[in-house]
Amino acid sequence: MEGTATRRVVLRMLRRLALLAVVVYAVCAVAGVRAETEMDDEEVDLDGDDADYAASAGAGTVAGRFTVPLQVVPGRSRIARGLAGIAWDLVSLSDYYAEIATMAVLSVVLVLHHFSRTACQNAATSWMKATIAVWQENFAHFGDDKNFSLIRDGPTDFIFYASGRVFVKKVYGFIKLVSRYDPIGYIVSNPYTAPPGYIDHDTAQMEFHIVDELPRLFFAIIAKDQYPNIKRKRYDVAEFGVTVKLPVGFPKDHYVVLTDAPELANAILADSEIVDTLWAAAGSEPGSKTDPAFLVPLLESLIITDQGKLAELPANAEELHNFPKMMHASFKIDESDAAYGIAEKMCQLLMDVVDHYGEIRLTLEGQNKLKKVRLAAEERIFKKQEEVRKKELRDIKYQAEKKKEESMTPEQQRKYNEEKKKKELKKRSKSGKLVI
């Protein structure tokens, strides 16, 4: 491992030296082109009267960006050239202000990008070092094929992978960081200028793919500051979950608990280690009257679901029952010693929740309740499909009537409108809405 790390450092240094060499070569090439005059390196033949020619050459040439007075020596003369074939006597700093400004801007961007990339890598690796023990203890395989625990997926994005655990097929982890020392990244991540889907703080998101044998249900622990936003973006949070009455000693001021399986909620909320970790993630403890150590809980959401991460119900009922069972978790990454100290406990909390899910034994009443919730979702889908069909039929009928009216003569249109009006009046009189 040490040899591999050394090779990576050497390769990075070589890449940076190569980049520097390319930049220096580009600067010299631009300087050479800009200093080149129309005269080449061949001898200039001054025929005729040397003195008259020299006088006329000096008088007829106006100095500028690309032309300079030609200093002619009677007889035959050469342009004096120095290093790299450049006539340095003809080079003026003012001729290269545009190039200097461009190179300065590019240099600043490269330096800031380097610092941003390095800072993001340090933040991601620090979080991973604080939690890696839990991942390695709970999964048979952790990391990629080359045994790297963390895979870079961009300047501010990292991925990790785990597999081989009871009740879990695999886990994909995504560390998403805010740009640092990066003006372009700041514009993208600024709330006032950012596109939809931006993140305004560092997060670690995990997706647990649950085995097929476990029951299809919904359970969620969501931080109160995140609940309105998540409810707006996910139909399962808005429609499947019912708010749970929280027991004494639970940090109810910081979290909301939702489920359609009370047996699972009772088992999880009765686990003292899980409750203690939730208190720690909120930066507080039971009975404490002091302000929490964190402005918002580090555990943003933990959701077990058999539905997709969609804002609305799927278009058909078959899709409703074919989503894979998942557990989604989102942690806020806080670069403080206190936050890193409980990051390991928060990851262990995920393992404990999965174990409770795998060991749950639903009663017949609980199973019927789960079926009832999903049948109600089916009915909403069917109702929506029926409304779409009715709208399509109305549109078809309207287009047919419009086409029929266009093919009528004026007299036929008059009679058609009269009959149509009579039918409307008759219909209103039957419904009691006729106004005289």
Side-chain angles (χ1 to χ4, degrees):
M1 290 298 289
E2 292 181 359
T4 303
T6 304
R7 285 195 296 272
R8 292 179 65 189
V9 171
V10 172
L11 288 175
R12 281 201 298 267
M13 292 179 63
L14 291 175
R15 283 197 295 266
R16 290 169 185 170
L17 289 174
L19 178 61
L20 179 61
V22 170
V23 172
V24 172
Y25 178 80
V27 172
C28 291
V30 170
V33 172
R34 295 290 299 276
E36 189 70 41
T37 65
E38 292 183 358
M39 297 186 65
D40 56 18
D41 201 33
E42 297 296 327
E43 294 180 345
V44 179
D45 188 7
L46 301 179
D47 294 331
D49 187 357
D50 292 342
D52 293 343
Y53 186 84
S56 63
T61 304
V62 179
R65 185 173 173 86
F66 296 100
T67 60
V68 296
L70 180 63
Q71 303 298 325
V72 181
V73 179
R76 303 173 71 83
S77 178
R78 289 176 178 272
I79 298 294
R81 297 179 182 273
L83 182 64
I86 299 173
W88 294 103
D89 293 339
L90 306 181
V91 176
S92 175
L93 183 62
S94 61
D95 293 336
Y96 300 99
Y97 284 160
E99 286 81 359
I100 292 172
T102 301
M103 294 303 298
V105 171
L106 289 176
S107 299
V108 170
V109 170
L110 288 173
V111 170
L112 291 176
H113 174 76
H114 169 73
F115 279 110
S116 177
R117 183 184 176 93
T118 304
C120 288
Q121 180 170 325
N122 292 338
T125 54
S126 296
W127 187 87
M128 179 53 65
K129 287 179 180 178
T131 62
I132 191 170
V134 175
W135 299 106
Q136 291 178 339
E137 289 174 3
N138 283 272
F139 290 91
H141 175 75
F142 181 71
D144 64 0
D145 296 337
K146 298 180 180 179
N147 205 29
F148 286 109
S149 301
L150 206 57
I151 305 112
R152 182 185 289 277
D153 194 38
T156 60
D157 298 309
F158 298 82
I159 300 173
F160 59 92
Y161 173 84
S163 62
R165 188 186 190 279
V166 64
F167 307 133
V168 179
K169 296 179 181 178
K170 56 190 174 183
V171 179
Y172 287 107
F174 306 91
I175 298 179
K176 300 179 181 293
L177 306 174
V178 177
S179 296
R180 293 157 166 81
Y181 313 110
D182 185 358
I184 297 176
Y186 176 78
I187 293 173
V188 172
S189 61
N190 187 284
Y192 300 101
T193 57
Y198 79 97
I199 61 169
D200 57 0
H201 59 274
D202 300 337
T203 59
Q205 300 172 2
M206 284 70 69
E207 295 183 354
F208 285 66
H209 293 249
I210 307 300
V211 295
D212 299 331
E213 293 77 17
L214 298 187
R216 305 180 69 88
L217 52 78
F218 175 84
F219 173 83
I221 301 175
I222 304 174
K224 283 194 172 181
D225 67 299
Q226 296 289 325
Y227 178 60
N229 185 42
I230 295 176
K231 184 179 180 180
R232 185 173 63 254
K233 292 182 178 180
R234 297 187 55 155
Y235 74 84
D236 54 351
V237 175
E239 301 184 20
F240 278 52
V242 177
T243 305
V244 176
K245 184 178 179 181
L246 301 173
V248 177
F250 187 87
K252 59 183 68 176
D253 293 335
H254 303 285
Y255 302 100
V256 176
V257 180
L258 309 165
T259 191
D260 58 2
E263 292 94 338
L264 177 60
N266 293 336
I268 292 175
L269 298 181
D271 190 323
S272 60
E273 292 186 2
I274 291 178
V275 174
D276 290 343
T277 302
L278 290 174
W279 274 109
S284 185
E285 58 184 21
S288 176
K289 297 182 179 180
T290 60
D291 293 334
F294 311 117
L295 294 177
V296 293
L298 299 182
L299 191 151
E300 297 182 330
S301 64
L302 189 160
I303 302 174
I304 297 174
T305 183
D306 63 331
Q307 300 300 310
K309 295 173 67 174
L310 304 173
E312 297 181 354
L313 284 166
N316 56 75
E318 182 179 356
E319 188 177 357
L320 181 75
H321 299 291
N322 289 331
F323 288 113
K325 290 184 279 292
M326 302 285 291
M327 183 175 79
H328 306 282
S330 178
F331 296 165
K332 179 182 178 182
I333 298 178
D334 190 313
E335 294 184 79
S336 64
D337 294 338
Y340 285 137
I342 65 170
E344 183 177 4
K345 292 182 179 180
M346 292 171 61
C347 290
Q348 184 60 48
L349 177 145
L350 302 180
M351 313 305 163
D352 295 340
V353 169
V354 167
D355 289 338
H356 282 297
Y357 179 24
E359 296 169 0
I360 192 67
R361 296 295 179 266
L362 297 175
T363 62
L364 181 60
E365 181 182 356
Q367 296 175 10
N368 292 334
K369 183 177 182 180
L370 295 177
K371 292 179 182 178
K372 185 177 179 181
V373 170
R374 281 142 189 81
L375 287 175
E378 274 190 11
E379 291 178 1
R380 289 194 293 272
I381 292 175
F382 293 146
K383 184 178 180 180
K384 189 175 181 179
Q385 290 175 340
E386 184 64 22
E387 291 175 354
V388 171
R389 283 193 293 269
K390 287 181 179 179
K391 185 178 182 300
E392 291 175 350
L393 290 174
R394 287 196 299 268
D395 292 340
I396 293 172
K397 185 178 179 181
Y398 172 77
Q399 293 296 334
E401 291 181 354
K402 185 177 180 181
K403 187 175 181 180
K404 181 179 179 181
E405 290 181 13
E406 290 176 352
S407 63
M408 292 180 180
T409 62
E411 182 63 23
Q412 289 175 331
Q413 287 184 358
R414 184 183 63 79
K415 291 182 179 179
Y416 176 79
N417 290 334
E418 288 179 355
E419 291 178 359
K420 189 175 179 181
K421 189 175 181 180
K422 288 179 181 179
K423 288 180 180 179
E424 289 180 355
L425 290 172
K426 186 176 181 181
K427 187 177 180 180
R428 290 182 180 180
S429 63
K430 287 183 177 180
S431 61
K433 296 181 178 180
L434 181 62
V435 178
I436 301 175

